[in-house]
């Protein structure tokens, strides 16, 4: 494992501080900036995700290594084509991981943490789930393709580092070719929007072309309203991490049929039995 994200934490904290000062001394009417309690919650969620993620990372190492040893071909890290394949395969895996965590309620219960803030700034990038186990299956095919596990972990770290910089209102739009090909702050603001037209859009990691290809792209037009369709109104990290799991448990217990219970678990967020 290459803990590149951990090595980057001091830089993250420095950049968050600089952005907060930028908002403080150069405010604008259409940007929300920072709020102390919200920022502390985001930092707490990030720290907790790193601690809780240790045993899952060990499990992931074993899973990747096991598949890599039985892969029909083991690709060489000295080949440039292996790195090209890794970049595209990792980004495609991230797209489907991300999309599934918006479309399956049980997965959404973990990912909702990242969308729970009504602010959008660099600290929001660190507001991460405390249940990372659901990510493992999406990258297993890369190991089976013969990509060394250490390369997979490295590219995952590169993707996360890139996405940190997407969480800002200070960068409006980039040159058109960049906006067409890559995920940008503008595209990611849409993804965090609770506006009806912005829900479940722009899942990409580094590239935005997967959204264009699979019909989930939406450009930024109207001002973005951040947060959830029903905001949770708490800064308690434990409640932020678990509130949707609690809601699922309440719905499943109240259901009278097994297909309704499965619907509450595996249906889209907000699923209800047909009346």
């Amino acid at each position: 494992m290459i803990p590149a994200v951990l090595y980057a934490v001091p830089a993250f904290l420095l950049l968050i501080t600089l952005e907060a000062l930028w908002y403080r001394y150069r405010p604008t009417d259409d940007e929300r900036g920072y709020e102390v309690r919200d920022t502390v919650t985001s930092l707490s969620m990030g720290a907790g995700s790193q601690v809780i993620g240790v045993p899952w990372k060990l499990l992931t190492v074993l899973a990747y290594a096991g598949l890599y040893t039985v892969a029909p071909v083991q690709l060489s890290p000295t080949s440039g084509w292996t790195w090209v394949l890794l970049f595209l395969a990792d980004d495609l895996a991230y797209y489907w991981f991300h999309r599934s965590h918006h479309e399956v309620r049980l997965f959404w219960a973990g990912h909702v943490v990242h969308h729970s803030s009504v602010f959008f700034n660099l600290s929001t990038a660190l507001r991460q789930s405390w249940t990372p186990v659901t990510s493992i299956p999406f990258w297993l095919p890369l190991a089976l393709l013969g990509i060394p596990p250490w390369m997979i972990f490295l590219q995952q770290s590169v993707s996360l580092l890139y996405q940190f910089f997407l969480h800002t209102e200070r960068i409006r739009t980039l040159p058109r070719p960049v906006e067409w090909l890559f995920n940008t702050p503008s595209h990611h603001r849409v993804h965090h929007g609770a506006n009806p037209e912005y829900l479940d859009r722009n899942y990409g990691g580094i590239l935005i072309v997967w959204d264009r290809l699979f019909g989930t792209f939406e450009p930024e037009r109207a001002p973005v309203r951040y947060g959830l369709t029903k905001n949770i109104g708490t800064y308690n990290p434990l409640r932020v991490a678990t509130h949707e799991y609690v809601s699922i448990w309440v719905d499943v217990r109240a259901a009278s049929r097994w297909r309704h219970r499965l619907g509450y678990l595996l249906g889209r967020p907000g699923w209800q039995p047909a009346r």
Side-chain angles (χ1 to χ4, degrees):
M1 290 183 291
I2 300 177
V5 173
L6 286 178
Y7 295 151
V9 167
F12 288 166
L13 296 177
L14 175 61
L15 291 168
I16 288 169
T17 301
L18 292 175
E19 187 187 47
L21 292 173
W22 191 6
Y23 278 117
R24 175 68 177 82
Y25 293 106
R26 295 292 297 272
T28 61
D29 293 336
D30 61 341
E31 296 174 341
R32 299 205 65 183
Y34 281 76
E35 199 275 341
V36 173
R37 294 170 299 174
D38 177 83
T39 302
V40 170
T41 299
S42 294
L43 297 179
S44 300
M45 300 306 300
S49 72
Q50 291 299 311
V51 174
I52 293 171
V54 170
W56 300 122
K57 191 68 73 175
L58 295 174
L59 176 62
T60 306
V61 169
L62 295 175
Y64 290 174
L67 286 179
Y68 176 71
T69 58
V70 300
V73 177
Q74 295 183 347
L75 302 177
S76 171
T78 62
S79 171
W81 290 112
T82 303
W83 289 96
V84 172
L85 174 63
L86 170 64
F87 174 78
L88 295 175
D90 170 80
D91 211 56
L92 182 59
Y94 181 84
Y95 172 87
W96 285 110
F97 153 78
H98 199 179
R99 181 169 176 173
S100 71
H101 281 63
H102 278 254
E103 296 182 346
V104 178
R105 190 183 180 193
L106 184 60
F107 291 172
W108 171 247
H111 185 62
V112 68
V113 169
H114 187 60
H115 288 262
S116 61
S117 175
V118 298
F119 293 82
F120 189 77
N121 51 56
L122 292 177
S123 75
T124 309
L126 305 185
R127 186 178 284 230
Q128 295 294 328
S129 170
W130 287 1
T131 52
V133 68
T134 54
S135 67
I136 293 178
F138 294 90
W139 277 267
L140 293 178
L142 276 67
L144 200 55
L145 284 174
I147 300 175
W150 70 266
M151 291 179 63
I152 300 173
F153 285 116
L154 176 60
Q155 183 58 38
Q156 287 175 333
S157 295
V158 169
S159 180
L160 288 174
L161 291 172
Y162 178 90
Q163 291 178 60
F164 173 79
F165 296 98
L166 301 178
H167 296 80
T168 183
E169 294 185 281
R170 287 273 136 143
I171 299 174
R172 303 313 301 173
T173 57
L174 298 171
R176 185 172 298 180
V178 177
E179 294 283 343
W180 193 92
L181 183 60
F182 292 98
N183 200 4
T184 66
S186 176
H187 299 329
H188 203 59
R189 285 192 291 270
V190 167
H191 179 70
H192 276 258
N195 315 42
E197 68 273 26
Y198 290 163
L199 294 176
D200 301 329
R201 293 291 183 265
N202 299 0
Y203 297 115
I206 295 177
L207 301 176
I208 201 67
V209 292
W210 310 117
D211 290 281
R212 297 184 187 277
L213 180 63
F214 296 119
T216 53
F217 176 72
E218 183 69 29
E220 183 180 26
R221 295 191 179 96
V224 182
R225 175 169 55 86
Y226 301 108
L228 307 173
T229 54
K230 295 181 180 179
N231 288 310
I232 56 177
T234 180
Y235 297 104
N236 184 321
L238 184 60
R239 288 185 59 195
V240 172
T242 61
H243 73 275
E244 185 63 16
Y245 291 107
V246 173
S247 296
I248 291 175
W249 175 247
V250 170
D251 287 338
V252 168
R253 286 197 63 187
S256 57
R257 300 181 181 181
W258 275 105
R259 63 187 181 92
H260 292 170
R261 295 186 181 102
L262 289 174
Y264 283 126
L265 281 171
L266 304 178
R268 297 183 70 96
W271 180 89
Q272 292 291 327
R275 296 185 182 276

